[in-house]
Amino acid sequence: MTPMADSAGDDAAGGRPLPLSGLKVLDLGRIYQGPWCGTLLALSGATVIKIEEPSGEPARRGAKGTMSVPFAILNSNKQAITINLKEARGRELFLDLVRQADVVIENYGAGTMDGLGVGPDVLLAANPRLVYAAATGYGVEGPDRDRLAMDITIQAHSGVMSVTGFPDQPPVKAGVAFVDFLGAVHLYSAVVTALYDRERTGQGRIVDVAMIDTIYPTLASNLSAFYRDGVAPRSGNGHGGGALVPYDVFPTSDGFIALIVVTEGHWLSLCDVLGAPELADDDRFRSNARRFHNVVDLDAIIGAWTSERTRDEVVALLGDAKIPVAAVRDVGEVVNDANLHERGALVRVDHPMAGEIVVPNTPLRFRGSAMAELRPSPALGADTRLVLSEWLGLDESALDALAADGVV
């Protein structure tokens, strides 16, 4: 990784600055949700200061003293400082930083910041233009506000696990931490929406994103089954609402592919590729509704065809016919994906604390501005002295005293 220019929003190509250039963000995020929101802000041009307790946030620590890979990939382009918010002097330092900041983001449990004496009301009193963004599991209000939440528990509580897996097997969680990242993306959108409002009104505000609130729309397909049949069953790799057939994962001679037929045009093209145009006139498969009622027969026909061919061959044949299809790839294949690397979505780096890894860039592309050049996630407290000196004008003797007292 080559260090970026001094300004986080500079455009190396000489075009327009990134949209959030000049914005100052204090990121108290932990684990996945808060940190990814902070990184999205940083990669959109903001100056993001990651604030941790002196021992570091839980996701930072890897094996044998290394930095964990999740921390390394979710905290690029930030400066890192430590402040002990349990100490009065630490809270004073934090308030001094808040007075110069535009945004504070945090994903502690509801009420934690209030308990520390630096809750949103205190911070907005110190800086009325501040956007205070809180991400929680169940919201800062409501009967479930005090429940602890992690990705898997929200998947369970939201109904996601009840519709994930196969009908004759227990419920399972999704293979990825999608709840955390849905929360992060919604938190980012709430922040930039509040900033837009601030441009019109001059006033900051508190924004609140609860992970549980972000999940219900993802049940859209399953809700169609619920309102039709009174129950939303687990459907394996099939469509959650039974609305599209074929829609499944099929075996090949060397792996698996995922296939979906959305339109009747796709269906007719599939019949041709299978070398069985007569299927289009087969009474069992004449419409999507009939295919739904005869899905076992149809899946067996398709599976027999795919099983005789390699994964890449099936993808090529169906793809050439403009049928939605993809290989079921493993993580190693994704890490080395040529398209993602060529587009700059993934960047291979030799991280000073995590080793050689592939890290994500932002999915947000702003035409006219170059993507921010990735900087490695920082060591614990790496920028404490620099930030407190530049932001608050503290000299070396004051910084030494703060360190000696365990404040930073």
Side-chain angles (χ1 to χ4, degrees), residues 54-330:
S55 60
E57 69 127 312
R60 176 181 279 279
R61 295 176 286 277
K64 298 180 180 179
T66 62
M67 179 182 288
S68 75
V69 170
F71 186 94
I73 70 173
L74 298 178
N75 288 280
S76 299
N77 290 57
K78 299 177 184 179
Q79 294 176 287
I81 71 173
T82 58
I83 297 179
N84 187 351
L85 294 178
K86 295 179 180 178
E87 294 285 342
R89 182 66 178 117
R91 293 190 291 273
E92 291 172 8
L93 285 176
F94 180 59
L95 278 172
D96 287 340
L97 292 173
V98 166
R99 291 184 179 96
Q100 299 188 43
D102 297 288
V103 178
V104 168
I105 59 176
E106 56 97 351
N107 62 313
Y108 287 102
T112 297
M113 293 291 281
D114 286 314
L116 290 169
V118 286
D121 293 334
V122 172
L123 301 191
L124 265 77
N127 179 359
R129 287 177 53 82
L130 182 73
V131 172
Y132 181 101
T136 60
Y138 297 94
V140 298
E141 299 174 337
D144 290 338
R145 70 183 298 272
D146 293 326
R147 296 186 61 176
L148 297 180
M150 297 296 285
D151 189 280
I152 187 174
T153 62
I154 295 294
Q155 286 195 41
H157 192 75
S158 67
V160 167
M161 287 179 63
S162 75
V163 297
T164 305
F166 290 85
D168 59 345
Q169 296 293 323
V172 297
K173 74 175 186 67
V176 297
F178 80 97
V179 174
D180 281 323
F181 291 94
L182 270 179
V185 172
H186 280 82
L187 190 64
Y188 175 93
S189 66
V191 167
V192 295
T193 302
L195 288 170
Y196 178 77
D197 178 65
R198 191 182 73 172
E199 288 298 304
R200 297 186 301 175
T201 66
Q203 295 180 319
R205 64 164 68 225
I206 301 167
V207 297
D208 164 30
V209 172
M211 289 193 289
I212 192 68
D213 295 349
T214 70
I215 303 304
Y216 190 82
T218 72
L219 297 171
S221 296
N222 313 91
L223 287 166
S224 68
F226 174 79
Y227 284 111
R228 182 188 65 230
D229 304 325
V231 63
R234 290 188 286 283
S235 56
N237 291 315
H239 189 269
L244 296 172
V245 177
Y247 181 122
D248 216 320
V249 171
F250 296 93
T252 67
S253 63
D254 60 350
F256 297 88
I257 60 96
L259 165 67
I260 174 176
V261 163
V262 181
T263 68
E264 287 304 301
H266 291 153
W267 165 241
L268 296 176
S269 295
L270 177 61
C271 293
D272 290 339
V273 174
L274 294 176
E278 68 277 5
L279 291 178
D281 296 320
D282 190 313
D283 191 55
R284 293 173 299 170
F285 313 131
R286 193 183 298 274
S287 68
N288 187 73
R290 292 176 182 241
R291 292 194 292 272
F292 171 72
H293 289 294
N294 294 282
V295 64
V296 174
D297 291 344
L298 180 56
D299 282 356
I301 293 170
I302 297 171
W305 182 85
T306 59
S307 295
E308 296 176 350
R309 293 161 177 81
T310 67
R311 188 187 71 172
D312 291 347
E313 182 183 3
V314 172
V315 170
L317 289 169
L318 297 180
D320 288 346
K322 304 301 181 185
I323 299 167
V325 64
V328 177
R329 302 193 301 172
D330 61 31

